[in-house]
Every structure is written in structure tokens, then in C-alpha cells.
Amino acid sequence: MKACGIIVEYNPFHNGHAYHVKESKEKSKADCMIAVMSGHFLQRGEPAIIDKWHRTKAALQSGVDLVIELPYIFAVQHSDYFSKGAVLSLNALQVDSICFGSENGAITPFLEAYQNLNERLEDYESSLREGLDQGLSYPDAARLANETIGISVEAFDFAAPNNILGYSYVKQIKSYASAIEPLTIKRIESNYHDTHVSGRMASATSIRKELLANREVTEHASLALPQSTVDELNTYYNESKVWHDWESYFNLLHYKIMTTPTEELKHIHGMDEGLEYRLKQTIRSSTSFFDFMHRLKTKRYTWTRLQRLCTHLLTGLTKQQASLHLESEYIPYVRLLGMNQTGQAYLNRRKKDIETPIIAQPQQLTSTLLDAEERATAAYFSPLPPVQRIKHLKKEYGPPVRIH
Amino acid sequence: MKACGIIVEYNPFHNGHAYHVKESKEKSKADCMIAVMSGHFLQRGEPAIIDKWHRTKAALQSGVDLVIELPYIFAVQHSDYFSKGAVLSLNALQVDSICFGSENGAITPFLEAYQNLNERLEDYESSLREGLDQGLSYPDAARLANETIGISVEAFDFAAPNNILGYSYVKQIKSYASAIEPLTIKRIESNYHDTHVSGRMASATSIRKELLANREVTEHASLALPQSTVDELNTYYNESKVWHDWESYFNLLHYKIMTTPTEELKHIHGMDEGLEYRLKQTIRSSTSFFDFMHRLKTKRYTWTRLQRLCTHLLTGLTKQQASLHLESEYIPYVRLLGMNQTGQAYLNRRKKDIETPIIAQPQQLTSTLLDAEERATAAYFSPLPPVQRIKHLKKEYGPPVRIH
């Protein structure tokens, strides 16, 4: 029984994702599609529009057989750590391949780029450090470092977010999971950063924008979504009275920054170079999360970096807690979010060979990774009215989603 | 120029308070009435219904000449620490007397009770410790200790909240401020714990209940309030869109408890005997602050003690920060909240003899006491909509209230 891993956020699951699952399954000739999915907060430092359980259900109804959780500590990180967590998780489940979307659908440029990096790792790393020291953002410094070792923007477009991630996946597979075959398919979605829904293929960003602006699944948005996603979006809204965006957390963030002493803010993961003073100063006069970010942003402190920092502030992730796991080469557990019968069959078949503990509920294991998950979930559901909040918090300790 | 000090919360300022000011002024023959007032959180661990600035203005319009702030760290404490902070503050301003309300208006029983205590301090303290060790609440242990040294409930009603406080004032005056003359007047307000407004004299508790239930100053409530208080209540509501009660902080408290690791909760002032586990366990399933407190409360953990703990949780006051000041015998500053011309004249006349720094704005001094104040203010205004919040937070760094 062959398995193919995919690395996803599904925020929310749309037609482009369905295409990715279908094409990846064909390309990999896998019997079982395993998605490692971010939980309640996403790579760019944003809350997911609906919770992980409803997103899992939508995925299982659209071709995914097994959904596991990318732990919070890895999920809200730049591409290298994000990929590391995802690849380690899929490797723990012994997938045969990992298939990701890319701009032109060929794996060779990724492998060549990695080969190149491997041969000139020292040059890459010293250039990266230099760029960061000069005040470049991480993406800019990484791009410059890549150019230094001969991977030019012309040969390999590092500006395309999917290429950055794809390259990162290949790098992590080669470093930590060499038994896995990296595969790629050509993306057919509209551009990642598109802000308007257009037709059946639209970016998750544009879909979220439309959903949040209208507080309902418009006909327009539903064009780009499988029916199961439409159902899950509606169900979650009815159950919880919210779809999540950063503005719903602004008062909590304000409270957190204002009532935490600077010397404690310093310990938050991502709080570098005295940013804590800048945060304290700026939040005082900010009228919204958007306003806050807008004032905070500079060339050096990118929007995404600052959003991640705000997420870690909200969930109280410290530097110490993060580095413990980010620098490790193994993952302490794999957590099941949901499965269908194929997913279950795969687990049954491989169970005896898998060394990493597979858990269905967080109370089955003690890990600082799970503590961080618990805090992230508590923070995520904070904007809900109390009765709905209690109900949703309980799910964190309940069984995974099962569909037949 | 003689000054009389009074120790107040004014939550809100009502006719009983106006009577207290007037009678105290007559009894003390003072030219200047100085009130040391709690800021945004009160002795029983509750947010004040309106902010300290509007409460100050109402007081200045009803006979008080100068209002100074009882620092947060002293304000939200049991009677001994509360009194200590208040007496030290008034002593710093060299008041000639302190006048408080009591059940029968005679000072002698208080002085005799203190005399007795002083002679049998060791017995008192060992009995107090024993009671606490046996699991009694502080008020119960203190009452028992008083009985041990011969101050019986019959001779001196310790069940009356005003007597507990009055006795505490006398004790602190005699211990730290022996130049001050303790005075008392008979209370004419209705009972402290009355829950219904009845006529011109009503308890602050019953007035708040009526205000919060109706979200307007009812005709009924206004009977018990000077017009200036009615005006300030309305002004604050128009400016901020809220009157404060614990329910407006429930989501913040929930967030704080759920996202703070147990080992950090342990450091909060008042978190004793593993209460942090009980809090974490209970908050999960509580639908409101009232529900939370109701589940949390036991014979040992009184409502008031738990409310104070919740306040310290909300403002992040640690054991270390608190004990530094609570155990000290001097107060690092006196902060002015407001004054009229008489108050200003008093300060001008005494200025050269006063050793404690008098500050009009917190930025004039560096003190951990002011840091705690700042956090308390930030937490207090958290339920306001962002634009209103910004405006109110600015006042913390603005000038004191002045009326002519």
C-alpha cells in the first residue's frame, strides 16, 4: 500500500486543492493520500478562517485519506522550519513520496538547486548571515544567498511562494528523509496573492477575503469551493458565530502587549532586536490590527514576520520552547486529525513499523509541543461566546474525525 | 491649614459619602479634606464601575479638596495591607487626622482593641497563623485571633465590614503614623451588603447593581446620588460605551488562564496551595465570570479572596512585585488624581516639608508600583472599543483633574 504525502493549510479547502490531491495521487500512484495540515494558526501568522476539525472534514470529503497535524511550533514559521516539521511528520508515517505544486511542474530544477546548495553550503550560509546582518528580511537574504551560489532568479523563480516552499521541501527531504521521493505537479490555481475570486480556480486568499467581507458563502465564492467546504464553512459559522481573522483577536493582543512587562515580552519567539519596545509603543495608539501592523511594518520587519510574532505573542510561545523543537531532528509524535477507511487501513498495515508514537488525543502523551498546541487552541477559540467556546475547546481532547 | 484624611473607593460617590465628607470635616475641624482613593480596581477585587478620573471629579464636586491614588498593589488587598497603603499615603501628605465611618461612631473601642492587640501581639499572631494553617479564611482567622486576645465579637463587632476596616486603620496609624489622630463618625448609610436601593441613603453595592442592570442612571438610583455623580456616570458611559463589571473581563480572564502555563500562574500574587490547577480546571467549562466564581468558591477560598486573585491574574501582579511593597514601611510616591483650589493651597503650603515625591503623572518617576498601576489601567480599559480605549489610556499620562 503506497502513500503520498502532501503539505497543506486548507484555509479553506478549494478547487485548486482538490486538483492538487487528484493530480498528486495519479503522479505518485499512491493508494493513500496523507495530508499534514497546519492547525489553528498558519504559516503566515494568521488564524485559520475555521477550526482544524471542520477543515479536516472538508479535506476527507475531497480525496484526502488521512489528515495529521503539523504542530503549531512548526506551522507558524518561515519556510525552512515549516517544511522541516511537515517532512519529519510525513517521514514518521513512512510515506513513499511527497508531491507539491510548483510553477512549472518539473522536479529537476528543484533537485539541481538543492545539489548546488549542498556543494556550496558554506557560501550559502555565510551569504545568508551577511544579508541578515545587513538588515535584509529573511526571504530577501535567502534569495541573495541563492544567487551567490548560482541559483539565479532567472533560472529558478524564488519570488513565487510555491517555489520557495517546494525548494524547502526538497531540501528537508534530502536532509532528513532521503527515502521519500519528491514529486511536483504544475499549479493551475490563480496566483497566490490574487485578491479577487475569479471563476472555479481562485486563491485561498481571495476566497477568504470574499467570505470575511460578506460573512456568508457567496455564490461567487462557492464557485471556487467543493460543496463539502461550503457545508463545513456554514456549519462552523452556525456553531461558533464567527469566522476568524486577526481583527477578532486585536483586543486580546492589545491586552497581552500592554499588560506584559517588556522583560517578559523579550522571551517571546521572534522578538528580536528590541522589537518589544516598538510593539509597546505602537499598540497604544493603534485602532485596529491592520492599523497596528501598518504602523509596525518596515522594510526590515516584513508583514509576515510581524504577524508570526503577534501569533506567538497571542499563544505565549517562548524562544526556549520553540528552539527545543525547531532545532531537533526528530518529531515526538504524529497526531491524527481525521481519516477515512483507506487512511485507517494504511495505519493498520504500517503500525508495527512506525516508531514515532501516533496519537489520537493530546492527553495520550506529555510533550511541550502539545502544551503549545493546547495554548494555541485556547487562544484561537477566545473570540467565541462562552458557551460555544466551551464546546469547541472540548474537541481538542476528543477523537479524530472519521468518515466512511 | 489643617487637613483630614479619608480612605475611600467611591464606587460610585453617593449621598452617604457626601455625608461622610461633611461630618468628617466638622469633626476634624480641617480646612482641607484629602481622600486617598483606589484607582481602577477595588479592595474586594472588582473593577470600578467608572474610571478613576470621573470618580475623582465627582468627589471634588462634593466636598473633597484633594484626591490621591491608593496604589493598585495596596488597593486590591485584605484590610491590613489596604489600610497600610492608605495610611502611609495620607501620612506622607502630613494630614492631622484620619476620619472613618463606624457602626456606633465612638473611637474608644477601636483604641482599646488596639491597645489590647499591642500588649498581646505574639498571642494574636500565633493564633492568626494557626487559624490560617487550619484552613480558615483570613477574616475568620483574624476574628478568632482577636477573640483569643480578648476582643470578643460582643464587645466589638468584627462582622461589620466598616469596623474591620476602621480597626485596621487605627492599627496602621498607631504602627506607622502616630502623629495622625484617628477619628470616627457614625455611619448613616444603609447596610454595606444591602442589595436594593432604598431612598436617599443606599449602599454602593445596591447602586451599582441597579446601574449595571439598567445600563442607565435610573430615577431610583439618582435619588441616592449627588447630581455630579449622575453627570460623571453618564459622561463616562457616553465616552467609553461601558460601565465596568467582572463579566466584561471574562473572556480576557479565560484567555489569560488558558494560555498561561501552570508554572507561571504559580507566581501570581495570591496563588497559593495549588490553586492554579483548580483555576485551569474550572475555567474550561465556565460560561460566565459568575459561573466560574460559583464553581471555584469553597469555605476556604472566599469569593473576595478569589476575586482579588482574578484581578491580580488579569493585571499580571506577581508575588515578588507585591511583597516588595506590601512589606515595606514607606511609600515611594504620592500621586495626585485631582484637586480644587483648597487642595492646591494645602500642597503649596506643605510642599517644602513633604519628603515623599508628589507626582502628577506616572512618567515623572520610575517605580515598580507605577508599573503595576500602568498594567492595571491597561487591563481596566481592555473591554472598550479601540478608539475609546486609546483616548482613555492617554489620560493615565495626562494631568490630574482640576476644578475651581
Side-chain angles (χ1 to χ4, degrees):
Chain A
M1 203 174 178
K2 273 180 84 170
C4 172
I6 50 181
I7 298 166
V8 306
E9 296 200 312
Y10 293 161
N11 185 34
F13 190 100
H14 55 54
N15 292 337
H17 295 131
Y19 173 84
H20 175 214
V21 176
K22 191 172 143 286
E23 292 293 304
S24 300
K25 192 166 183 181
E26 271 183 40
K27 183 142 204 163
S28 64
K29 301 190 176 60
D31 311 290
C32 178
M33 293 302 297
I34 303 181
V36 56
M37 187 181 85
S38 304
H40 288 131
F41 291 92
L42 307 176
Q43 206 227 331
R44 293 173 55 180
E46 287 167 326
I49 188 166
I50 59 172
D51 75 348
K52 56 191 178 191
W53 306 110
H54 291 77
R55 276 154 52 233
T56 295
K57 201 167 168 201
L60 292 173
Q61 282 167 331
S62 298
V64 175
D65 300 303
L66 181 59
V67 182
I68 60 172
E69 180 166 65
L70 177 61
Y72 169 81
I73 288 182
F74 290 100
V76 186
Q77 298 292 346
H78 63 60
S79 56
D80 278 355
Y81 287 139
F82 174 85
S83 313
K84 186 179 179 181
V87 167
L88 288 176
S89 297
L90 290 172
N91 192 48
L93 286 191
Q94 306 183 342
V95 298
D96 302 278
S97 58
I98 288 177
C99 188
F100 56 90
S102 62
E103 299 308 317
N104 65 16
I107 197 71
T108 318
F110 289 100
L111 296 173
E112 281 173 354
Y114 174 74
Q115 186 64 22
N116 214 329
L117 171 73
N118 212 22
E119 283 163 9
R120 302 190 57 189
L121 195 60
E122 271 181 37
D123 295 345
Y124 173 86
E125 285 183 345
S126 75
S127 165
L128 182 71
R129 259 195 310 276
E130 202 175 302
L132 291 172
D133 287 348
Q134 278 166 13
L136 291 183
S137 70
Y138 188 88
D140 285 344
R143 190 178 319 170
L144 197 72
N146 278 310
E147 282 178 19
T148 307
I149 61 164
I151 309 173
S152 71
V153 177
E154 290 71 33
F156 190 80
D157 182 10
F158 270 100
N162 281 283
N163 282 352
I164 298 177
L165 275 172
Y167 176 64
S168 220
Y169 297 152
V170 170
K171 205 164 67 178
Q172 304 300 336
I173 290 172
K174 294 294 175 191
S175 308
Y176 303 112
S178 54
I180 296 177
E181 181 187 14
L183 300 171
T184 185
I185 54 155
K186 190 169 160 50
R187 286 160 50 81
I188 57 153
E189 305 167 48
S190 65
N191 198 291
Y192 190 76
H193 286 304
D194 275 2
T195 50
H196 292 290
V197 176
S198 51
R200 268 187 40 77
M201 290 297 166
S203 72
T205 308
S206 65
I207 295 169
R208 283 197 305 280
K209 203 178 161 198
E210 173 123 355
L211 293 171
L212 290 165
N214 295 282
R215 299 277 152 193
E216 62 162 350
V217 185
T218 57
E219 220 170 299
H220 193 213
S222 71
L223 265 181
L225 301 169
Q227 185 55 40
S228 50
T229 298
V230 175
D231 294 344
E232 294 307 313
L233 281 164
N234 285 330
T235 307
Y236 185 76
Y237 197 84
N238 289 334
E239 283 174 8
S240 72
K241 316 299 171 207
V242 283
W243 282 334
H244 300 248
D245 68 355
W246 251 116
E247 293 303 344
S248 5
Y249 297 89
F250 182 58
N251 79 318
L252 290 177
L253 186 69
H254 180 276
Y255 164 75
K256 177 82 180 202
I257 296 175
M258 293 290 291
T259 60
T260 309
T262 348
E263 59 274 27
E264 262 181 63
L265 288 180
K266 241 179 223 142
H267 299 307
I268 294 295
H269 177 60
M271 193 73 79
D272 300 320
E273 303 149 359
L275 258 177
E276 62 274 19
Y277 298 100
R278 198 172 154 81
L279 289 175
K280 278 239 177 199
Q281 195 52 39
T282 310
I283 196 95
R284 274 175 204 284
S285 51
S286 299
T287 53
S288 66
F289 181 73
F290 184 83
D291 180 35
F292 178 54
M293 290 293 292
H294 200 73
R295 287 160 188 249
L296 218 51
K297 192 179 169 279
T298 63
K299 198 164 183 288
R300 175 161 201 163
Y301 301 125
T302 61
W303 190 285
T304 303
R305 176 177 172 185
L306 291 168
Q307 268 197 173
R308 279 190 205 121
L309 173 62
C310 289
T311 307
H312 299 318
L313 260 167
L314 199 66
T315 64
L317 183 70
T318 64
K319 287 170 180 164
Q320 204 190 358
Q321 290 158 356
S323 67
L324 187 70
H325 294 286
L326 294 175
E327 304 310 334
S328 168
E329 292 189 13
Y330 89 109
I331 200 124
Y333 64 86
V334 169
R335 179 175 180 188
L336 306 176
L337 291 181
M339 70 205 86
N340 61 17
Q341 284 167 324
T342 308
Q344 182 66 66
Y346 178 81
L347 287 178
N348 290 345
R349 201 125 4 137
R350 296 283 180 106
K351 212 160 43 186
K352 60 180 189 309
D353 305 323
I354 294 174
E355 287 172 9
T356 308
I358 298 178
I359 60 170
Q361 285 160 296
Q363 56 273 42
Q364 292 175 256
L365 202 82
T366 302
S367 163
T368 49
L369 213 54
L370 281 166
D371 293 343
E373 208 65 54
E374 202 176 341
R375 293 202 310 275
T377 289
Y380 182 76
F381 288 121
S382 285
L384 270 59
V387 175
Q388 283 77 9
R389 190 166 62 204
I390 292 171
K391 208 181 121 198
H392 279 88
L393 283 172
K394 272 193 191 145
K395 287 197 189 170
E396 185 70 15
Y397 309 93
V401 178
R402 277 171 200 272
I403 69 159
H404 298 288
Chain B
M1 202 173 178
K2 273 180 86 168
C4 172
I6 53 181
I7 299 167
V8 305
E9 297 199 312
Y10 293 161
N11 185 34
F13 190 101
H14 56 55
N15 291 337
H17 296 132
Y19 172 85
H20 175 213
V21 176
K22 191 173 144 283
E23 291 293 303
S24 300
K25 191 167 183 179
E26 272 185 39
K27 183 142 207 165
S28 64
K29 299 190 176 63
D31 310 290
C32 179
M33 292 302 296
I34 303 182
V36 56
M37 187 180 84
S38 303
H40 288 131
F41 291 93
L42 306 175
Q43 207 227 332
R44 293 174 54 179
E46 286 167 324
I49 188 166
I50 60 172
D51 76 348
K52 58 191 177 191
W53 307 111
H54 291 77
R55 276 154 53 232
T56 294
K57 200 167 168 202
L60 292 173
Q61 282 167 331
S62 297
V64 176
D65 300 302
L66 181 60
V67 182
I68 61 173
E69 180 166 65
L70 178 61
Y72 169 81
I73 289 182
F74 289 101
V76 186
Q77 300 292 347
H78 62 60
S79 56
D80 279 354
Y81 287 139
F82 174 86
S83 313
K84 185 179 180 180
V87 167
L88 287 176
S89 296
L90 291 171
N91 192 48
L93 286 190
Q94 306 184 341
V95 299
D96 301 278
S97 59
I98 288 178
C99 187
F100 56 89
S102 62
E103 298 310 315
N104 65 15
I107 198 72
T108 318
F110 290 98
L111 296 173
E112 280 172 355
Y114 174 75
Q115 185 65 22
N116 215 328
L117 171 73
N118 212 23
E119 282 161 11
R120 302 191 53 190
L121 194 60
E122 271 181 39
D123 295 346
Y124 173 86
E125 285 183 347
S126 76
S127 164
L128 181 70
R129 258 196 310 276
E130 202 175 303
L132 292 173
D133 288 348
Q134 279 166 12
L136 291 183
S137 70
Y138 189 88
D140 284 345
R143 190 177 320 169
L144 198 73
N146 277 310
E147 281 179 18
T148 307
I149 61 166
I151 310 173
S152 72
V153 177
E154 289 71 33
F156 190 80
D157 183 10
F158 271 99
N162 281 285
N163 281 353
I164 298 177
L165 275 171
Y167 176 65
S168 219
Y169 298 152
V170 170
K171 204 164 68 177
Q172 303 300 336
I173 291 171
K174 294 293 175 192
S175 308
Y176 303 112
S178 54
I180 296 176
E181 181 187 15
L183 299 172
T184 185
I185 55 155
K186 190 169 160 50
R187 285 161 51 82
I188 57 151
E189 305 166 49
S190 66
N191 199 290
Y192 190 74
H193 287 303
D194 274 3
T195 51
H196 292 287
V197 175
S198 49
R200 268 187 39 74
M201 289 298 168
S203 73
T205 306
S206 66
I207 294 169
R208 283 198 303 281
K209 204 178 160 199
E210 172 122 355
L211 294 171
L212 290 166
N214 294 283
R215 298 278 151 192
E216 62 162 351
V217 184
T218 57
E219 219 170 300
H220 192 212
S222 70
L223 265 181
L225 302 169
Q227 185 56 40
S228 50
T229 297
V230 175
D231 294 344
E232 294 307 314
L233 281 164
N234 285 329
T235 307
Y236 185 77
Y237 196 84
N238 289 335
E239 283 173 8
S240 71
K241 317 298 172 207
V242 283
W243 282 333
H244 300 248
D245 68 356
W246 251 116
E247 294 302 344
S248 7
Y249 297 90
F250 182 58
N251 78 318
L252 290 177
L253 185 69
H254 180 275
Y255 164 76
K256 176 82 180 204
I257 296 174
M258 292 290 291
T259 60
T260 308
T262 348
E263 57 274 28
E264 262 180 62
L265 287 181
K266 244 178 221 144
H267 299 306
I268 294 294
H269 177 61
M271 193 74 77
D272 300 320
E273 303 150 1
L275 258 178
E276 61 275 19
Y277 298 100
R278 198 172 154 81
L279 289 174
K280 279 239 176 199
Q281 196 53 39
T282 311
I283 195 97
R284 273 175 206 285
S285 51
S286 299
T287 54
S288 65
F289 181 74
F290 184 83
D291 180 34
F292 178 54
M293 290 292 293
H294 200 74
R295 287 160 188 250
L296 219 50
K297 191 177 170 280
T298 64
K299 199 166 183 286
R300 175 160 202 163
Y301 302 124
T302 61
W303 191 284
T304 303
R305 175 177 171 185
L306 291 168
Q307 268 197 172
R308 278 189 204 122
L309 174 60
C310 289
T311 307
H312 299 318
L313 259 167
L314 198 67
T315 65
L317 183 70
T318 64
K319 287 171 180 165
Q320 204 190 357
Q321 290 159 356
S323 67
L324 187 72
H325 294 285
L326 294 176
E327 304 309 335
S328 168
E329 291 190 11
Y330 88 109
I331 201 126
Y333 64 85
V334 169
R335 179 175 179 189
L336 305 175
L337 290 181
M339 69 204 87
N340 62 15
Q341 285 168 323
T342 307
Q344 182 65 67
Y346 178 82
L347 286 178
N348 290 345
R349 200 124 7 138
R350 295 284 180 106
K351 211 160 42 185
K352 59 179 190 308
D353 305 323
I354 294 174
E355 288 173 8
T356 309
I358 298 178
I359 61 171
Q361 286 158 296
Q363 57 271 42
Q364 291 174 257
L365 203 81
T366 301
S367 162
T368 49
L369 212 55
L370 282 166
D371 293 343
E373 208 66 53
E374 202 176 341
R375 293 202 309 275
T377 289
Y380 182 76
F381 288 121
S382 285
L384 271 58
V387 175
Q388 283 77 9
R389 190 167 62 205
I390 293 171
K391 209 181 121 196
H392 280 88
L393 282 173
K394 272 193 191 144
K395 287 196 190 172
E396 185 70 14
Y397 308 94
V401 177
R402 276 171 200 274
I403 69 159
H404 297 288

